[in-house]
Amino acid sequence: MTERVLIKNLAALEDGPVSVSGWVDTVRDQKKVQFVVLRDESGAVQLVNPRTTDAEGVVVADEPATTISGLSQGSFITVTGELKHDERVKLGGIEIKLASVEVLSHAIPETPIAADSSLDKRMDWRFLDLRHPKQNLIFRIQTTFEHALRTYWVNNDFIEIHTPKLMASASESRAELFEVEYFDTKAYLAQSPQFFKQMSQAAGFGKVFEIGPAFRADPSFTSRHSTEFTSIDAEISWIDSHEDVMQLHEDLMVAGFTAVKEKHGDEIKALFDVEITVPTQPFPRIPLAEAKEIVKSRGYEVPREDDDMDPEGERQIAAYVKETFDHEFVFLTDYASSIRPFYHMRHEGDAGLTNSYDLIFNGVEISTGAQREHRIDVLTEQAVEKGMEPEELEFYLDFFRYGVPSHGGFGMGLARVLMLMLHQTSIREVTYLFRGPTRLLP
Amino acid sequence: MTERVLIKNLAALEDGPVSVSGWVDTVRDQKKVQFVVLRDESGAVQLVNPRTTDAEGVVVADEPATTISGLSQGSFITVTGELKHDERVKLGGIEIKLASVEVLSHAIPETPIAADSSLDKRMDWRFLDLRHPKQNLIFRIQTTFEHALRTYWVNNDFIEIHTPKLMASASESRAELFEVEYFDTKAYLAQSPQFFKQMSQAAGFGKVFEIGPAFRADPSFTSRHSTEFTSIDAEISWIDSHEDVMQLHEDLMVAGFTAVKEKHGDEIKALFDVEITVPTQPFPRIPLAEAKEIVKSRGYEVPREDDDMDPEGERQIAAYVKETFDHEFVFLTDYASSIRPFYHMRHEGDAGLTNSYDLIFNGVEISTGAQREHRIDVLTEQAVEKGMEPEELEFYLDFFRYGVPSHGGFGMGLARVLMLMLHQTSIREVTYLFRGPTRLLP
């Protein structure tokens, strides 16, 4: 039997017998010759079948002609034939002259979505939507990006942990919490691995990472929010401040973007018209208060009561950073304690500010990082001040009672990184199966 | 400032000033000299502080002596001092003569667990339990094992997917399903990524993998079950049978075990007294019916009404395989349709048997794999026969209506692999934070 060849590997082969498998993209069933464009996860190739004619020149209904005539778009087939290099063939300069066609599965001929279908409709039929080369590329980029991060971590002695997603209480706040029926009691879905990656610091793990799901019962319908998302998390011991976390974060982004550019840069340019830029180090750092002044001087006043940025403010500061430093990333630092969780460490001598940052990429926040408060008395005080229930936090506060190093880390949304990297307008485009308040299917 | 050095890297340094950080393992506060064993995530080192005496030879209460006297076990400290190589020091042939000690965090002196504490008690204080070198090693092995698998996948053109854990209906069965309050409706926690990794096959992804959490509302308290576990999943297109899945599975186990043996083999031998064996290929394969005969001929009759194995049967067949083939792994194949899910493909010509397998490692099942039924008519029939609700399955059945290649894959429990690799008696020992019917904390 001829081994299946990925379409992307055909061009490097010499002319001769091959077998490829994939789904039917288009059929041109002409009088004298049939053409099929076959697609697999790696590319597309033209199949050709000159029809047989009898002595009088009349077309004969033989195989594989009859099978080809019956092929609906989307059907999965395995074909054998002769590979031929031919510069005149627009699609990659190769074609396969068919010998046999085996249909694994016939598709319903009426495809429920088209190129101009709405995003929501495309999500209804996500498995068909994902057949497009652009969508396929997104998940190959995801694969490469994540592997580059993990390789960095493994090479730098990080330990991979899998923290539980079922918790006895809230990890971030009582708001936006999913409740689970858990035998005779209730459990809650983890909003982040925060408490458990901090636990690893008390456990002496030193440096840890996790890429896994997190859940927020967020009723909003923005292009940046979902109820379930993939969170990229790291936490490290013995830091002096959040500056150490930012340096790690930079290293990781450089590793990820370098790998993506090397492996997919040309394809991304061709399919998304985006040039991947590997960011230079150090990334710009701007304290939040200063950033708000800069935004104001550009004519935009952040219309918020609290000390936070808003999406337009983030876009403005990103535009400033792009113009001034030619950089797509910026760390906004030193957020006010009032808008940060209780576990962020505050400035020594100014409890109004935290040792924390947001990372902004192409105008949108993709991550929050911070040094954590590891002093049990200060931590408890901050929790109470934020209105947390100390009883529910006892198990967490215990982590700090038996010794813990200084530490910090970040959580980053994978979909946001991909969305902004590829200049997409919604995380729905880069999420395998999006989950929102009104979407649980497919 | 002297940069922090990991303890495992000290031995390779020349004598001179160093800084190390970690937690206090033991303090021997003697009259003339103080000894501290300091531990970090990479190892342990002896710190020494000869006490200062005045002109009359009386010990002076100076620093760092006073600080050292006050150190409780578990406190996290950063020290500076002079590294000295000295063959007489039992602990690695090195010690650090202290210059300064900075206490980051004092531990409560009374440690709630001891070496002989029960497993349940140790789980209550998991963050302290994990400080032990054996526990730490388990998670470094986990890191290495997973990275080897992912590297294999990435090098072989697999795509990494993150399937949703929130679903509109059951993925395996209505039994053992966790229900989530989801805005105005209900959601369910994914029992496996089964449906969604199959969706990737219809989407033309070809080969995919995922390592992520799965949830089972399983009320049992065995050493092999938990309500939340890390599932290692792969799914591939264009297979001829489950044999192709088994070959992939073998390759992955060899990659994982090779990496673990190379990186941690000596440590595993030292701490667990276990010799890691990289399995030879092919792994033995035994059809289930034959396996039951073998077990019977060894004097054990599986006391089950259905056609399945039981734990003792699995141990017996593993013993047979070890004796006969000197192999720790065995694929039991061709399970009866009656005990397999509706989506397993059945034998052509014998619908009573499936194209499926279980992988047994050291006597315990660690994985189930199968070729999937991709023919929509057969699939629907099998679902109805198994009592599934066709309405709830519509979204899944749609995946097969618009074309799908032949495909198959497996799901494997990470904790079971680690438990059996290290000859542990419970998955609780190798799970970062175990979740069971009565355990949601910490």
Side-chain angles (χ1 to χ4, degrees), chain A residues 113-266:
Chain A
I113 53 168
D116 60 350
S117 293
S118 71
L119 177 54
D120 214 51
K121 180 100 178 171
R122 288 199 282 117
M123 288 197 291
D124 286 341
W125 301 95
R126 185 62 164 159
F127 61 101
L128 296 174
D129 188 42
L130 289 174
R131 287 186 187 170
H132 292 134
K134 276 176 83 162
Q135 311 291 356
N136 184 287
L137 178 57
I138 288 169
F139 293 93
R140 284 187 286 121
I141 293 167
Q142 170 174 293
T143 307
T144 301
F145 183 74
E146 291 188 49
H147 196 63
L149 265 50
R150 293 199 188 99
T151 301
Y152 176 95
W153 282 318
V154 168
N155 290 343
N156 285 277
D157 282 322
F158 281 67
I159 291 177
E160 175 161 12
I161 55 174
H162 298 286
T163 64
K165 307 311 165 198
L166 292 167
M167 298 181 64
S169 57
S171 53
E172 295 290 334
S173 75
R174 299 293 308 181
E176 305 192 347
L177 195 58
F178 284 121
E179 189 178 290
V180 182
E181 298 289 327
Y182 196 80
F183 303 99
D184 298 334
T185 182
K186 304 276 185 201
Y188 301 94
L189 293 182
Q191 297 161 306
S192 80
Q194 186 60 36
F195 289 178
F196 302 130
K197 61 181 183 164
Q198 287 192 259
M199 189 188 94
S200 73
Q201 307 298 299
F205 275 25
K207 297 184 277 191
V208 298
F209 71 92
E210 177 173 22
I211 299 181
F215 306 88
R216 303 271 169 114
D218 182 341
S220 67
F221 287 89
T222 83
S223 62
R224 306 180 313 283
H225 292 92
S226 54
T227 53
E228 175 176 354
F229 62 99
T230 302
S231 184
I232 297 173
D233 282 88
E235 197 81 16
I236 51 175
S237 288
W238 303 110
I239 64 170
D240 289 327
S241 76
H242 52 309
E243 174 60 30
D244 294 319
V245 184
M246 288 191 280
Q247 283 179 23
L248 165 68
H249 208 148
E250 283 183 355
D251 285 352
L252 285 163
M253 297 312 279
V254 168
F257 276 64
T258 301
V260 168
K261 189 180 178 70
E262 278 176 12
K263 192 158 182 179
H264 310 290
D266 294 343

Side-chain angles (χ1 to χ4, degrees), chain B residues 28-48:
Chain B
R28 269 168 41 228
D29 197 359
Q30 301 178 351
K31 203 172 170 187
K32 301 237 162 134
V33 60
Q34 299 172 306
F35 294 100
V36 176
V37 173
L38 186 76
R39 194 172 281 287
D40 72 8
E41 66 267 33
S42 72
V45 66
Q46 176 166 289
L47 315 176
V48 59

